Amino acid sequence: MDNLTSVVNQSGAKFSVGIDLGTTHCVISYIDTQDEQARVQTMPIPQLTAPGTVESRSQLASFLYQPHEHEMNASARVLPWTNEPKALVGAIARNLGAKTPIRLVASAKSWLCHAGVNRRDAFLPAGSPEEVEKISPLKATECYLEHLQAAWNHVHPSAPLSEQDVTITVPASFDPAARDLTAEAARNVGFVHLTLLEEPQAALYNWIDNSHEQWRHQVSIGDIVLVVDIGGGTTDLSLVEVTEEEGNLSLKRIAVGEHILLGGDNMDLALAYHLKIKLAKEGKELQPWQVQAMTHACRDAKEALLNDPLLASVPIVVPSRGSKLLGTTLKTELTQQEVQQILVDGFFPTVMVDQHPQQRNRGALTQMGLPYAQDAGITRHIAAFLSKQAMAQGEAQATPTDAFNPFMGGIPGMENESTSSMNDFIKPSVLLFNGGVLKSSLLANRLEQTINDWLTHAQVQVAKRLTGVDLDLAVACGAAYYGHVRQGQGVRIRGGIASSYYVGIESAMPAIPGMAPPMEALCVAPFGMEEGSSVDVPSQQFGLVIGQPVNFQFFGSTVRREDSVGTHLDYWNEGELEELPEIQVSLPVSEGRREGDIVPVTLAARVTELGTLYLEAIAADNGQKWHVEFNVREDANAQTQH
């Protein structure tokens, strides 16, 4: 079964369409499933680039601009398919927002998976004045999808997108709640034939498609593929194992990383603050809104300097509102040396594999914002991931290392370290890079060299880097190809859910002053449980409080792979279980029961086709059922009585 399968049957769809719903860019690709010779294509996306100017580009910038009511007249907003677009999205939003950042909605995807806010509340742009119209992360996501849908329907009027087989990509680290919200946005726009696919898998599918069946000669049984996807807003990590199934090579996703808000946006901000300090030394102080505006200019300068190592510098213009302090618009420059020093050494430091992200104590009061990674060192995050997943490969990783093993990557003639030392981190033998950040050969080469230094120090062969993908378009193209694969046209990557999920059980114990009852954890969905499947949780009965507000506490784990459904934990090591946001509900009272009753129940769990976990409580006396959808919804509609 596929890692994520389709919600409905798409037998009537003419096209398999892939949508990369990225933090900073969206891409739409497709393949004609009724043409055996067809190849995946990327569709140019018409969009406003300036008032009254429409251009077609391969990417739609994931930005939304909330203009002042008198800022643009109606004739300046016309698109090929409408005279009254619902929102200003794409290149024009990014360009206008560079000058007026308080009106720019950015990183809606990151907000969509931020459990600390109500994703349906209209609060974006975050921190903007009251006069700026607000929009919710969910609605912003819908606006991007609406633009893509309108662009598609304009080109394919006889094959509307709502009737096609659509695959939308999500970070592998998205929890079931974030997946559900993404699917909800798509359904609200009118998508019916919907599938979700992890972005690193999509990138790997794209590489397989581009290799024209030669991929089987580039990887071997036992290989571990590390997929590193560094986009504008996130760093997404996955491990895929090459296995054998019925005599054929097979691919299995065996681990995913945490959701790391660290990417190109952080780099742009780092460059902007560097320039702020440089200007301050010249006696020129900048206001916060100017730093925001300069950040967008740094993005363009960064891309120019990284793509052309011979380019010495790029001028940066700092906007001014004519204050007496500034007088005139300021100018500075970003140099090649500054970019290399800040980005290469700051974000891709050369570290040892046992050097992991540094966590500092946070201030008691902080602004409401996204939970960005505290440590900017991407190489340290990758080292932590590989160390945490040391045993992800299972038995293959424990192969004796005192002799050359082609599956393990041992080097003949070298004395290998002990088996326990070898298991300090999982050893990838193949690397696949994706994401706009790694388009820079400077950054990609530093990352590759750092990982291979770890492998060399561990006395195993260095990893081979796969090539032949467009790092901006690979995810969307891989998603379109995946839709074709699901019809039996190619190799599938298998895996099931990437975490084990547990529900918290409050211990029954006498009251102790100043101490809350300890929490235990019951496994309700084991690692690798396939979407569309359900299980009864074999355990003793539990007491379910009905008719009063109660909290359901959930945990997730990417390392406890051996726990089966029903495993009861009263203790776990630090880092093994991650506490997830609580769900507060009031379960309905039925006839014959009273508010506050504690009903003996058994538990059952189901993983939907979109990766959402349902927990079902079944009354022991009459079989009455209550269920809680593990989607961290912010309203009472998350719970339904059966």
Side-chain angles (χ1 to χ4, degrees):
M1 182 175 176
D2 299 302
N3 180 54
L4 285 175
T5 57
S6 172
V7 179
V8 295
N9 180 9
Q10 291 99 14
S11 58
K14 175 176 173 58
F15 295 101
S16 169
V17 180
I19 295 178
D20 176 7
L21 199 60
T23 308
T24 54
H25 289 94
C26 299
V27 181
I28 183 167
S29 296
Y30 63 97
I31 184 172
D32 187 341
T33 59
Q34 298 176 4
D35 181 356
E36 294 183 1
Q37 304 302 317
R39 303 289 302 170
V40 173
Q41 301 180 61
T42 301
M43 190 187 86
I45 305 169
Q47 57 197 285
L48 288 164
T49 56
T53 303
V54 175
E55 298 179 33
S56 290
R57 297 186 176 179
S58 60
Q59 298 174 301
L60 176 74
S62 303
F63 296 90
L64 185 149
Y65 186 76
Q66 300 286 58
H68 187 275
E69 58 179 333
H70 302 302
E71 187 171 351
M72 290 177 62
N73 59 46
S75 62
R77 305 186 186 195
V78 175
L79 286 165
W81 50 85
T82 180
N83 293 332
E84 298 179 357
K86 294 181 180 179
L88 288 179
V89 301
I92 189 172
R94 174 173 165 174
N95 295 337
L96 293 176
K99 301 172 184 176
T100 315
I102 61 171
R103 294 185 171 275
L104 182 67
V105 175
S107 302
K109 180 178 180 179
S110 297
W111 285 107
L112 194 69
C113 68
H114 182 14
V117 299
N118 186 331
R119 276 74 56 96
R120 292 183 179 80
D121 278 355
F123 61 85
L124 297 177
S128 60
E130 289 186 7
E131 65 266 20
V132 176
E133 184 181 354
K134 305 299 191 297
I135 191 172
S136 70
L138 183 65
K139 183 61 180 177
T141 304
E142 292 174 15
C143 288
Y144 303 145
L145 291 172
E146 284 173 342
H147 186 102
L148 295 175
Q149 180 173 239
W152 171 276
N153 292 345
H154 180 69
V155 178
H156 303 92
S158 62
L161 194 57
S162 61
E163 298 178 5
Q164 307 313 307
D165 177 356
V166 178
T167 299
I168 296 177
T169 60
V170 295
S173 53
F174 259 22
D175 63 21
R179 293 171 189 256
D180 185 76
L181 286 164
T182 304
E184 181 179 339
R187 288 192 293 263
N188 289 345
V189 171
F191 292 6
V192 178
H193 311 311
L194 178 64
T195 303
L196 300 183
L197 176 67
E198 295 172 7
E199 289 165 3
Q201 288 194 42
L204 190 54
Y205 275 121
N206 178 242
W207 173 76
I208 292 171
D209 182 34
N210 288 341
S211 69
H212 302 288
E213 294 298 323
Q214 295 303 307
W215 71 273
R216 302 174 191 276
H217 303 295
Q218 298 188 49
V219 295
S220 305
I221 298 172
D223 271 337
I224 297 294
V225 183
L226 170 62
V227 185
V228 181
D229 186 351
I230 307 176
T234 59
T235 294
D236 208 8
L237 307 172
S238 284
L239 290 168
V240 177
E241 182 179 9
V242 183
T243 61
E244 184 178 22
E245 186 173 312
E246 298 179 354
N248 297 315
L249 287 185
S250 178
L251 298 171
K252 180 181 180 182
R253 193 265 290 114
I254 57 174
V256 301
E258 299 174 355
H259 195 64
I260 307 171
L261 287 183
L262 178 60
D265 290 349
N266 305 70
M267 300 177 187
D268 302 332
L269 194 60
L271 294 172
Y273 272 91
H274 169 76
L275 294 182
K276 178 181 184 291
I277 294 171
K278 188 162 69 170
L279 287 168
K281 291 179 179 178
E282 301 173 5
K284 303 167 183 175
E285 294 293 336
L286 300 183
Q287 298 177 32
W289 73 269
Q290 289 176 301
V291 178
Q292 277 187 283
M294 193 165 60
T295 301
H296 298 286
C298 285
R299 177 187 296 118
D300 297 331
K302 172 197 70 178
E303 293 172 356
L305 290 166
L306 288 177
N307 292 332
D308 184 1
L310 299 179
L311 187 62
S313 64
V314 172
I316 300 290
V317 176
V318 185
S320 170
R321 290 178 181 160
S323 69
K324 295 179 181 179
L325 175 65
L326 295 171
T328 59
T329 299
L330 297 176
K331 293 183 179 180
T332 184
E333 67 175 9
L334 192 62
T335 68
Q336 183 73 241
Q337 183 179 3
E338 289 170 329
V339 167
Q340 293 192 14
Q341 180 179 357
I342 294 170
L343 299 191
V344 177
D345 297 334
F347 289 87
F348 295 89
T350 300
V351 297
M352 300 298 290
V353 74
D354 60 352
Q355 293 178 265
H356 297 168
Q358 299 296 310
Q359 298 294 327
R360 55 177 171 79
N361 291 334
R362 293 186 179 272
L365 297 177
T366 182
Q367 290 183 327
M368 289 302 295
L370 291 170
Y372 291 109
Q374 291 187 14
D375 192 319
I378 292 174
T379 44
R380 283 191 284 268
H381 286 281
I382 296 174
F385 170 63
L386 296 178
S387 299
K388 186 176 183 178
Q389 301 297 338
M391 301 304 295
Q393 195 178 0
E395 295 179 359
Q397 185 73 4
T399 303
T401 59
D402 56 350
F404 174 62
N405 182 336
F407 299 163
M408 283 292 295
I411 300 176
M414 295 187 70
E415 289 187 12
N416 289 328
E417 299 175 0
S418 67
T419 301
S420 61
S421 177
M422 284 289 290
N423 285 338
D424 285 345
F425 71 101
I426 192 168
K427 317 298 187 299
S429 52
V430 179
L431 303 176
L432 178 64
F433 293 165
N434 192 59
V437 168
L438 293 177
K439 287 168 58 180
S440 164
S441 58
L442 184 70
L443 301 181
N445 291 340
R446 164 61 74 90
L447 179 55
E448 180 181 10
Q449 182 60 51
T450 302
I451 294 173
N452 279 331
D453 284 347
W454 301 338
L455 298 172
T456 299
H457 187 264
Q459 299 184 0
V460 298
Q461 289 180 336
V462 297
K464 175 176 62 176
R465 183 166 146 199
L466 303 177
T467 58
V469 297
D470 185 316
L471 275 65
D472 282 331
L473 309 179
V475 167
C477 292
Y481 174 72
Y482 168 75
H484 201 39
V485 164
R486 286 178 38 255
Q487 300 180 8
Q489 302 301 313
V491 64
R492 298 181 180 185
I493 302 171
R494 303 177 186 275
I497 59 174
S499 296
S500 298
Y501 289 106
Y502 307 77
V503 64
I505 307 294
E506 189 174 289
S507 301
M509 62 175 290
I512 300 176
M515 178 180 173
M519 186 69 71
E520 300 176 3
L522 179 72
C523 181
V524 293
F527 182 91
M529 182 175 173
E530 294 186 337
E531 286 74 13
S533 61
S534 59
V535 292
D536 293 323
V537 181
S539 183
Q540 73 269 30
Q541 294 181 357
F542 295 96
L544 182 71
V545 180
I546 61 172
Q548 295 180 351
V550 293
N551 294 330
F552 280 87
Q553 182 62 64
F554 289 95
F555 301 89
S557 176
T558 61
V559 295
R560 293 189 64 99
R561 288 174 170 75
E562 303 305 317
D563 289 350
S564 58
V565 62
T567 298
H568 197 143
L569 304 177
D570 56 12
Y571 171 82
W572 52 87
N573 295 320
E574 183 178 357
E576 283 190 324
L577 265 61
E578 177 187 1
E579 188 172 344
L580 302 175
E582 290 183 338
I583 302 176
Q584 188 176 75
V585 301
S586 182
L587 297 173
V589 178
S590 60
E591 185 177 351
R593 303 191 192 278
R594 295 176 300 174
E595 180 179 317
D597 277 356
I598 299 178
V599 181
V601 297
T602 57
L603 300 177
R606 177 168 65 92
V607 178
T608 72
E609 291 82 357
L610 292 176
T612 302
L613 179 64
Y614 285 85
L615 183 64
E616 193 170 60
I618 307 167
D621 54 2
N622 63 3
Q624 182 183 1
K625 297 180 180 180
W626 295 267
H627 79 246
V628 177
E629 182 179 351
F630 180 52
N631 63 1
V632 200
R633 289 185 188 271
E634 292 84 6
D635 56 33
N637 295 327
Q639 296 78 33
T640 305
Q641 180 182 5
H642 288 258

